[in-house]
Amino acid sequence: MSYPTQLFINGQRQSSKSGRKITLLNPSTEQPVCEVDAASPAEVDAACTSAHKAWENGWRDLPPGKRAEILFNIARVLRDNQQWIAKLEMEQIGKPIADARDEASLGARVFEYYAGGVSRLYGQTIPVARGGFDFTLRQPMGVTAAIAPWNFPFPIACWKVAPALAAGNCVILKPASISPLTALALGELASQAGLPPGVLQVLPGAGAAMGDALVTHPLVRKVSFTGSTEVGRRIMELASRDLKRVSLELGGKSPNIVFADSDWRKAAESSPMSVFANTGQDCCARSRVFVERSIFDEFVARFVDATQKLVIGDPSKEETQLGPMASMAQRSSVEDFLVDARKGGARFACGGDRPVATGAFVSPAVLVGIEKSSRCWKEEIFGPVAAITPFDDEASMIKEVNDSPYGLSGSVWTHDIRKALRVSRAVQSGVISVNCHNSVHVEAPFGGFKMSGIGRDLGMTALEGYTELKNIYVAD
Ligand code: NAD
């Protein structure tokens, strides 16, 4: 298999001038995958300069129909290369191959959606008091930076790149240091699909080494970031110096609320994957499970039973549902949480051990009777750990649900429509699913309340977020 291992600047592969490289390690086998060039601040400057040139010299003023055509072409080329993208993702972060294929296809779908969005970027006509003719215009910003995480490297890169391009911006994409391959593939495939040089550039490297240079570069007008709350806060501080626009998709500690009047058996069977999918490395993971006391014991038994049936292991096998953690470092971080939980007296209904000797594997853990003051209850673990707790009344349960600095997603299970709406409104989060766990729809806004973020990815809301809004008044 071929690996894209060089920086992608101005339509060409380039070696890093600093000579710095990152060695990627397959977290399933602990074997090296390949070495990738790491960008330095000098290359950030080169990329921003060529992006700005590409913007001024054509991309900004391209007729919308032509821009849409190129985005549709990108989607087609991504679909043609679905298997390659999926294998790169599997090797760099241990993503199960079936999931990796689905995510490659989701990326293509995102480009199709925003190709259609190009011609729906409407303004308004406004009947202003003094008469005349007043209207609004959505205009591109210029160079935007897209900083992506390692848990869903390819689809999240597409969530940011596609709407930014559709709105007429150029993009510098910075993938996480352990997951650059699919971002580099996106840059190269987009170029093959007809995207002009400089419109999308990809700079792998550690955030600490070149992130500041990118976020503070004077030509960058917006930073769209997905990652940890801690880094998001730093990006916002840096961006505030010259009032760059930011959108931040950050961490979560989402609730899964199960009432006794719901199809709770179905909830118990489906809920494990709402927290353990992607081996729990999911900002939407419903890791705090609130279950009405009358069904609690049977719910826990069914949840544990469904968890123990999950197929964990070699991500190259079609049947695998849970691969390894994305890195050995991430496994250590999760295991630290588990040590804390044991010390705090939590009961492990199942999991929390290493199922195989090689690779960054952790078996999914179900904790019962956990202290509400413990780290496992309060902090984002970003690993396969669920804590289940009983509740007696709706009002105090909602208070507990909202007693979190985060507010990204959540599920509510009930057959009572009034209760479903009441609870959905009361939970402080950007996304709620009723009687299911689907948080992400390409067509709908996705993002968080409170410390889960600012701004939205996906839907027409994200497309508008890559524009400046201008008001034009024409006198009579
Ligand atoms: P991270 O914050 O460590 O890294 C995210 C990206 O930021 C990487 O590309 C990293 O290299 C870069 N970065 C790091 N330091 C930087 C700096 N100083 N300047 C600029 N860029 C810098 O996060 P992660 O570990 O890759 O991802 C996990 C986190 O992402 C979790 O908290 C998870 O909840 C969150 N996440 C949120 C969403 C969402 O949509 N809300 C989706 C996926 C992941």
Side-chain angles (χ1 to χ4, degrees):
M1 192 169 70
S2 68
Y3 299 104
T5 59
Q6 290 174 294
L7 318 181
F8 192 70
I9 299 181
N10 209 14
Q12 289 183 336
R13 294 178 173 193
Q14 285 184 24
S15 303
S16 158
K17 290 202 174 63
S18 70
R20 264 212 308 269
K21 303 224 181 237
I22 306 163
T23 303
L24 303 184
L25 207 66
N26 181 326
S28 173
T29 60
E30 298 183 44
Q31 295 301 310
V33 177
C34 61
E35 285 197 325
V36 175
D37 283 86
S40 64
E43 281 134 354
V44 170
D45 186 52
C48 290
T49 305
S50 52
H52 194 253
K53 235 184 243 160
W55 186 64
E56 285 193 324
N57 294 346
W59 187 248
R60 175 182 65 184
D61 301 314
L62 206 65
K66 185 68 195 158
R67 214 156 53 223
E69 188 186 312
I70 293 173
L71 294 186
F72 274 125
N73 275 342
I74 295 175
R76 184 179 46 74
V77 174
L78 295 182
R79 288 197 189 283
D80 291 346
N81 287 275
Q82 183 196 30
Q83 190 64 14
W84 180 49
I85 296 166
K87 279 196 171 157
L88 292 176
E89 204 81 297
M90 179 187 79
E91 291 205 17
Q92 66 182 357
I93 54 160
K95 174 103 47 188
I97 191 69
D99 291 348
R101 269 201 314 270
D102 286 351
E103 291 174 21
S105 152
L106 171 64
R109 167 89 190 96
V110 170
F111 273 90
E112 284 157 359
Y113 174 76
Y114 286 111
V118 170
S119 54
R120 287 170 185 77
L121 203 45
Y122 303 134
Q124 290 178 309
T125 56
I126 303 170
V128 293
R130 67 175 67 242
F133 182 67
D134 191 282
F135 67 100
T136 60
L137 205 56
R138 295 255 169 211
Q139 293 192 297
M141 297 168 148
V143 180
T144 63
I147 303 180
W150 48 257
N151 58 339
F152 294 101
F154 184 72
I156 291 183
C158 294
W159 293 8
K160 299 185 181 304
V161 171
L165 297 181
N169 303 287
C170 292
V171 183
I172 315 283
L173 169 61
K174 196 206 94 53
S177 51
I178 64 166
S179 58
L181 297 178
T182 45
L184 289 164
L186 175 62
E188 296 193 2
L189 294 172
S191 169
Q192 282 172 27
L195 196 69
V199 176
L200 169 62
Q201 306 181 74
V202 187
L203 299 181
M210 40 80 81
D212 285 10
L214 180 59
V215 174
T216 56
H217 197 283
L219 289 174
V220 169
R221 289 313 313 147
K222 167 161 177 162
V223 182
S224 173
F225 170 81
T226 295
S228 59
T229 298
E230 186 192 351
V231 175
R233 189 185 291 121
R234 172 162 178 76
I235 284 174
M236 194 164 173
E237 278 167 13
L238 291 175
S240 72
R241 292 181 190 170
D242 56 354
L243 294 181
K244 287 181 179 33
R245 281 46 174 157
V246 290
S247 84
L248 306 173
E249 302 288 345
L250 309 173
K253 190 75 188 173
S254 297
N256 181 12
I257 302 165
V258 186
F259 287 97
D261 67 0
S262 69
D263 189 348
W264 57 268
R265 292 175 186 83
K266 182 175 162 200
E269 273 144 36
S270 64
S271 291
M273 279 305 264
S274 80
V275 52
F276 302 139
N278 210 37
T279 322
Q281 303 162 116
D282 181 349
C283 53
C284 288
R286 279 111 167 115
S287 51
R288 293 183 299 152
V289 189
F290 296 82
V291 180
E292 203 160 3
R293 193 176 298 276
S294 60
I295 55 167
F296 184 76
D297 290 341
E298 200 177 337
F299 181 93
V300 171
R302 284 172 183 264
F303 189 107
V304 169
D305 187 47
T307 299
Q308 287 174 326
K309 287 187 180 133
L310 296 175
V311 182
I312 176 166
D314 181 351
S316 69
K317 295 207 164 123
E318 285 297 326
E319 64 274 20
T320 296
Q321 291 172 284
L322 306 188
M325 310 296 307
S327 65
M328 304 306 272
Q330 189 58 21
R331 181 176 66 179
S332 299
S333 156
V334 170
E335 287 181 339
D336 283 350
F337 275 100
L338 294 174
V339 168
D340 264 26
R342 285 196 179 94
K343 274 194 207 144
R347 179 166 78 79
F348 280 60
C350 67
D353 48 12
R354 297 182 179 183
V356 285
T358 307
F361 290 91
V362 181
S363 59
V366 179
L367 311 185
V368 186
I370 185 174
E371 282 294 328
K372 299 288 168 58
S373 57
S374 69
R375 285 179 68 217
C376 276
W377 180 256
K378 292 172 99 76
E379 295 178 24
E380 181 182 48
I381 300 176
F382 223 55
V385 185
I388 314 186
T389 191
F391 70 88
D392 295 299
D393 73 284
E394 187 182 313
S396 45
M397 176 270 294
I398 294 282
K399 221 166 152 207
E400 233 181 283
V401 163
N402 288 336
D403 183 21
S404 166
Y406 295 115
L408 187 55
S409 69
S411 293
V412 181
W413 291 80
T414 173
H415 277 157
D416 177 343
I417 183 69
R418 292 171 63 219
K419 193 191 282 178
L421 294 176
R422 192 168 65 232
V423 174
S424 297
R425 284 169 63 124
V427 173
Q428 294 164 351
S429 75
V431 176
I432 286 284
S433 325
V434 177
N435 296 328
C436 66
H437 300 296
N438 310 94
S439 298
V440 171
H441 311 272
V442 174
E443 307 78 5
F446 174 81
F449 283 18
K450 302 193 278 187
M451 280 170 66
S452 289
I454 290 177
R456 295 292 179 265
D457 276 326
L458 298 175
M460 290 303 283
T461 315
L463 185 56
E464 291 182 353
Y466 287 99
T467 63
E468 291 288 3
L469 183 62
K470 180 174 283 178
N471 190 70
I472 299 179
Y473 174 69
V474 185
D476 270 339

